[in-house]
Amino acid sequence: QVKPQFESKENRNCAMFTAIVYKTQVVAGINYFIKVQVSDTEYVHLKVFLGLPHENQGPSLVSFQTGKTRDDPLTYF
């Protein structure tokens, strides 16, 4: 659900957009830190916020880090 947000902010189209691993952080909602494969050799780390259910809002791309590899550790940022 955040692929269009990433593509818009990064000004590119991703033929591949596969989540590899994720971590969560509980706040007033949930922060998801997701490692996503965007090409054969390129990965990005996404920070996605999902608000509380009563807020009726979908996931929102908060920030991202590009230039990652499959072996880079997924950390909170």
Side-chain angles (χ1 to χ4, degrees):
Q1 292 183 7
V2 296
K3 180 181 177 186
Q5 294 174 53
F6 173 75
E7 290 176 331
S8 174
K9 289 182 179 185
E10 187 67 3
N11 195 24
R12 66 186 274 189
N13 291 320
C14 300
M16 179 185 292
F17 200 80
T18 307
I20 303 300
V21 66
Y22 74 95
K23 294 181 178 182
T24 60
Q25 177 185 40
V26 177
V27 289
I30 300 176
N31 282 327
Y32 290 90
F33 298 87
I34 309 166
K35 180 184 292 191
V36 176
Q37 184 175 7
V38 294
S39 75
D40 288 341
T41 58
E42 187 181 2
Y43 294 79
V44 296
H45 292 180
L46 307 180
K47 179 179 180 182
V48 177
F49 176 74
L50 183 59
L52 299 171
H54 72 276
E55 295 174 346
N56 283 337
Q57 294 182 349
S60 174
L61 179 61
V62 176
S63 61
F64 58 91
Q65 298 174 334
T66 59
K68 298 294 185 175
T69 68
R70 185 173 185 91
D71 296 329
D72 285 336
L74 182 59
T75 57
Y76 298 109
F77 60 92

